[in-house]
Amino acid sequence: MNQKIYKIILFGIVYWVLGAISPFAQIKLPKLISDGMVLQRNTETRIWGWASPSEDIKVHFLDKEYYTQADKDGQWELMLSYLNPGGPYQMTLMASDTVVIKNILIGDVWVCSGQSNMDLTMQRVGPLYPEEMAGANNSYIRYFYVPQKYNFQEPQKDVEQGNWIEVNPDHIQNFSATAYFFAKHLYSKYKIPIGLLKSSLGGSPAQAWLSEDALKKFPEYHQEFKEYQNQEFVDSIIHSDQQRSKKWYSELNQKDLGLKGDSLNWKSPYFDDSEWDEMEIPGYWGDGKLGEVNGGIWFRKEIDIPTSFLEKDVMLLLGRIVDADSVFINGKFVGTTGYQYPPRRYKIPKGILKEGKNTIVVRVISNIGKGGFIVDKPYELVCEDEKIDVKGEWKYKLGAKMDALQPQTFVRWKPGGLYNAMISPLIPYTIKGAIWYQGEANTDHPQDYQALMSALIKDWRTHWFQGEFPFLFVQLANYMEAKDKPESSNWAMLRDQQLKTLEVPNTGMAVIIDSGEWNDIHPLNKKTVGDRLGLAAQKIAYGDKDVVYSGPIYKSMKIKKNKVILSFTNTGSGLKVQGDVELKEFAIAGKDKQFIWAKAEIKGDKVIVWSDKVSEPVAVRYAWADNPDQANLYNQEGLPASPFRTDNWEK
């Protein structure tokens, strides 16, 4: 064989072998750079990935060609020129192989982050929006779900999995409800494709979303982050939690009298419960004869079912139950929920119900705290337009009493872990801005929330290298039982910290103290949230000078004799009392710092506050409560005033 030809063949074999063993022998793209993606318009838009070291990369897109070269580690990136909105388009990437990305849109991309209220899906809120669920069909709104992971070791370069999905009836149930209504608001206004990067995790505090650099400003959180970098330490905590929980539930099931026997255990429709006590449902057994116990508690009720329920779809709604439940009808299992927050909505398979007497059995597991059935929720059987109320007297009996289960250590919520796993992989992606719905997890220590959020916004902006991109956030909703007198409130304090976060440039806040549910930390009305975030985006991200995006925001006060005169920004077309004849939720204090309810009235663009019991007022508070359910100061555009205080006292 000719020596020259031999060398060429040998070189080809070596090149092929080296390529085969190299992790970047071919173009590799991050999960975000994939079919169906939405690219950010009107800016320099980053595309990146990996290939063989020093390999030349060519990208063909919209009749233009872009060139770059992978570095010694195989990483590469390039910037697409200013892109006009539209699509769908196709992109071709060429190196040692060719990759084609299809169905690309160009529009605006928003990061959607926070905790469970950003997580809450359209399926969860679906009963409020049946037409939305059935008719949602817009291929120009797309959604990328970031896997819920944590990492304390290092910032990740890619997510484990994920793909872009379009809005249609098959997919809508999995969209974040807040993010969906936000995107729908913007699309209806601007007709620009909208991409949503949903990166949120229920229960997560703000510090979990900070990078290590940002955490250094908070020594306590940074120290905790360093502790959790020890994988053996993390594994031991997880193992201990799992073993403790496994032992608790195993012991419960062994002790629970309701599980004994076969055909005549407590879920059987033939079981004789005539000796059982009775309890009004909804309610808490701790308020009655049984007292506050944890363990397994069984509930039984007989109901009459008409013929009309037998051949149609029937749902059993059992409000919310603390903590977990398993439900049986006529001895047949129909559903279970493992923790307290989701609404109980159980579809009853055909053939289980019968005409006449039927038996519903609910086994409730309470592992800590006060167990029971949340009041002011639906408890009924629903068949099309017919409903059967199942509230009222139920038979109940304690199956097994247990000591409270020690809470687990939520490793995934620890400082820095979510930033590394759920934000860092997104940062190369060019975005329009971010929306943030979080705060409930920080209400135990509200006093440092402004500092945390200011650091978080700066941190994300620093790493994204996109300047002061718009950052829009949701103030806490009204929640818990309303109180009959002014008092200190961690939820009010955190709302105040959120209000102060508006000092950070290019931020906006959606006030939703009129959109919560007193008995549910996850209110279902997410359309109001999305729309108000959309208004903030119109003003801050899109420069719509005419839009009134916020309700009144406290500006300053003057004291004139026994009256306090309050001034506001964001008054829109003027101040108004919403739905009542007089302003509510205003409190006033003198030098003794004791707040009492005050009278208040609108005078032009001012609010005058006073009380005949306070001759020398020094401070005013508005809607300062966990649940200021009577707050009714709005502007004429129908947007509520943010809660506020004029003092800076600790409580």
Side-chain angles (χ1 to χ4, degrees):
M1 182 182 295
N2 182 288
Q3 189 173 10
K4 183 176 181 181
I5 295 176
Y6 175 81
K7 288 182 178 179
I8 292 173
I9 294 174
L10 180 63
F11 177 80
I13 293 173
V14 171
Y15 181 84
W16 180 84
V17 170
L18 290 175
I21 63 175
S22 169
F24 304 127
Q26 298 178 328
I27 293 176
K28 180 184 176 184
L29 297 172
K31 303 297 187 297
L32 287 171
I33 309 295
S34 57
D35 290 349
M37 67 179 174
V38 180
L39 293 176
Q40 181 58 45
R41 64 179 175 129
N42 297 346
T43 188
E44 294 287 308
T45 303
R46 182 179 289 104
I47 300 292
W48 78 100
W50 303 271
S52 298
S54 303
E55 187 165 16
D56 292 327
I57 312 293
K58 182 171 75 171
V59 174
H60 182 84
F61 186 55
L62 293 178
D63 299 324
K64 292 184 179 181
E65 290 186 345
Y66 303 84
Y67 298 89
T68 189
Q69 187 179 68
D71 64 18
K72 61 182 178 61
D73 297 317
Q75 300 183 42
W76 60 268
E77 71 171 48
L78 54 81
M79 304 299 285
L80 304 179
S81 301
Y82 285 68
L83 305 174
N84 293 319
Y89 302 118
Q90 182 171 293
M91 179 184 294
T92 303
L93 300 94
M94 292 165 281
S96 57
D97 63 334
T98 299
V99 175
V100 177
I101 305 174
K102 302 175 182 178
N103 192 21
I104 300 168
L105 296 181
I106 299 170
D108 288 333
V109 181
W110 290 85
V111 175
C112 311
S113 191
Q115 58 180 112
S116 52
N117 272 305
M118 183 63 81
D119 260 355
L120 213 68
T121 63
M122 286 296 292
Q123 181 181 42
R124 179 82 161 260
V125 307
L128 261 62
Y129 311 105
E131 294 181 1
E132 196 76 49
M133 297 293 288
N137 198 1
N138 188 341
S139 64
Y140 291 100
I141 297 177
R142 298 184 179 179
Y143 183 82
F144 189 99
Y145 176 88
V146 177
Q148 295 178 329
K149 302 289 184 179
Y150 62 86
N151 188 301
F152 301 108
Q153 306 306 317
E154 61 183 356
Q156 297 297 285
K157 295 182 178 180
D158 198 6
V159 296
E160 291 183 0
Q161 60 185 9
N163 58 284
W164 290 89
I165 58 175
E166 301 176 357
V167 168
N168 61 47
D170 293 331
H171 294 148
I172 187 63
Q173 65 268 18
N174 296 320
F175 276 61
S176 157
T178 293
Y180 168 72
F181 284 118
F182 170 74
K184 184 180 179 182
H185 180 102
L186 293 182
Y187 184 82
S188 66
K189 181 70 178 177
Y190 301 110
K191 298 298 186 289
I192 298 297
I194 301 294
L196 304 169
L197 305 180
K198 206 284 292 185
S199 182
S200 57
L201 178 64
S204 58
Q207 58 268 25
W209 299 95
L210 291 174
S211 71
E212 181 177 8
D213 286 343
L215 285 171
K216 290 176 181 177
K217 299 176 183 177
F218 306 92
E220 180 181 351
Y221 294 137
H222 185 244
Q223 177 60 35
E224 195 171 18
F225 171 77
K226 300 301 287 186
E227 289 174 358
Y228 277 79
Q229 287 188 310
N230 183 335
Q231 192 60 45
E232 290 185 3
F233 173 68
V234 172
D235 291 342
S236 68
I237 289 175
I238 294 173
H239 178 74
S240 176
D241 284 347
Q242 290 174 340
Q243 291 300 109
R244 184 173 65 254
S245 179
K246 182 179 179 181
K247 180 181 178 182
W248 193 90
Y249 282 99
S250 176
E251 183 180 342
L252 169 66
N253 291 335
Q254 290 174 10
K255 291 172 61 176
D256 197 326
L257 299 176
L259 299 175
K260 306 298 181 183
D262 296 318
S263 61
L264 290 181
N265 61 21
W266 293 0
K267 70 175 182 290
S268 169
Y270 308 108
F271 182 82
D272 181 7
D273 59 18
S274 59
E275 299 299 317
W276 285 23
D277 291 319
E278 291 188 341
M279 172 182 158
E280 185 79 15
I281 288 180
Y284 298 89
W285 59 77
D287 297 332
K289 179 180 177 181
L290 185 60
E292 293 190 14
V293 298
N294 301 118
I297 300 89
W298 293 73
F299 296 84
R300 293 171 57 93
K301 187 177 182 67
E302 278 195 349
I303 54 170
D304 285 316
I305 296 294
T307 306
S308 59
F309 273 59
L310 300 185
E311 298 301 325
K312 299 176 182 177
D313 290 336
V314 180
M315 294 290 292
L316 173 61
L317 307 182
L318 289 176
R320 281 183 46 230
I321 300 174
V322 183
D323 292 288
D325 61 276
S326 297
V327 181
F328 308 86
I329 296 181
N330 297 329
K332 303 294 185 180
F333 174 76
V334 297
T336 185
T337 305
Y339 64 111
Q340 65 169 291
Y341 293 115
R344 271 49 174 184
R345 304 169 185 155
Y346 298 124
K347 184 176 181 180
I348 303 174
K350 292 178 181 178
I352 289 182
L353 294 176
K354 60 183 181 179
E355 186 176 5
K357 296 292 184 184
N358 291 254
T359 303
I360 303 176
V361 178
V362 182
R363 183 199 185 205
V364 179
I365 297 175
S366 169
N367 52 45
I368 192 171
K370 191 174 183 178
F373 298 75
I374 302 295
V375 301
D376 199 19
K377 292 287 182 181
Y379 292 83
E380 57 195 11
L381 281 160
V382 180
C383 178
E384 295 183 345
D385 295 332
E386 293 186 79
K387 295 181 180 181
I388 298 175
D389 193 350
V390 300
K391 295 192 294 293
E393 295 294 331
W394 285 58
K395 295 290 188 73
Y396 78 93
K397 189 174 180 64
L398 178 65
K401 182 178 180 181
M402 298 285 290
D403 292 333
L405 174 62
Q406 181 183 339
Q408 65 171 298
T409 301
F410 289 95
V411 172
R412 60 185 179 272
W413 296 344
K414 295 300 180 181
L418 300 183
Y419 174 88
N420 281 350
M422 296 179 67
I423 295 299
S424 177
L426 313 183
I427 283 176
Y429 207 82
T430 308
I431 62 172
K432 178 71 171 181
I435 59 173
W436 174 264
Y437 195 166
Q438 190 274 339
E440 298 90 343
N442 288 89
T443 52
D444 284 346
H445 302 283
Q447 61 276 3
D448 61 357
Y449 192 75
Q450 179 192 6
L452 280 170
M453 284 308 303
S454 298
L456 184 148
I457 296 167
K458 180 180 179 181
D459 188 32
W460 289 17
R461 287 173 171 174
T462 297
H463 285 94
W464 241 288
F465 288 105
Q466 286 189 226
E468 295 181 342
F469 60 75
F471 193 101
L472 315 175
F473 55 92
V474 182
Q475 195 181 51
L476 289 183
N478 50 311
Y479 175 56
M480 294 182 280
E481 291 189 35
K483 303 296 174 62
D484 59 3
K485 62 181 180 179
E487 58 183 42
S488 61
S489 162
N490 278 11
W491 277 60
M493 183 73 77
L494 193 128
R495 289 191 199 102
D496 190 56
Q497 294 277 301
Q498 291 175 315
L499 179 61
K500 292 177 179 177
T501 303
L502 289 174
E503 296 171 8
V504 178
N506 222 26
T507 57
M509 182 176 73
V511 177
I512 60 165
I513 55 165
D514 56 351
S515 304
E517 299 176 31
W518 76 267
N519 58 1
D520 203 327
I521 202 170
H522 303 116
L524 299 185
N525 180 3
K526 291 297 186 276
K527 186 176 188 305
T528 294
V529 183
D531 284 343
R532 289 179 183 170
L533 283 170
L535 288 173
Q538 284 181 239
K539 184 75 170 185
I540 294 163
Y542 296 90
D544 189 338
K545 297 179 181 179
D546 296 327
V547 69
V548 178
Y549 84 94
S550 168
I553 301 292
Y554 167 72
K555 180 182 179 182
S556 62
M557 78 167 188
K558 292 182 179 180
I559 299 174
K560 189 174 182 180
K561 295 183 179 179
N562 70 327
K563 294 185 177 181
V564 179
I565 304 169
L566 303 173
S567 297
F568 299 86
T569 61
N570 296 91
T571 54
S573 302
L575 300 175
K576 76 171 183 177
V577 181
Q578 180 88 341
D580 209 331
V581 295
E582 61 181 16
L583 289 172
K584 302 288 183 66
E585 297 285 353
F586 279 89
I588 195 167
K591 294 178 181 179
D592 61 359
K593 298 183 179 181
Q594 299 301 307
F595 282 92
I596 62 172
W597 292 128
K599 295 180 180 180
E601 64 178 359
I602 296 170
K603 290 288 188 180
D605 60 353
K606 313 287 186 187
V607 172
I608 314 299
V609 184
W610 76 97
S611 170
D612 294 338
K613 298 178 181 179
V614 179
S615 59
E616 297 182 40
V618 297
V620 167
R621 291 178 176 179
Y622 170 70
W624 193 267
D626 299 327
N627 180 13
D629 64 340
Q630 298 187 72
N632 60 352
L633 176 62
Y634 283 66
N635 57 23
Q636 293 291 339
E637 284 70 19
L639 297 172
S642 170
F644 67 88
R645 59 176 179 167
T646 66
D647 64 275
N648 59 1
W649 304 332
E650 196 165 319
K651 291 187 178 181

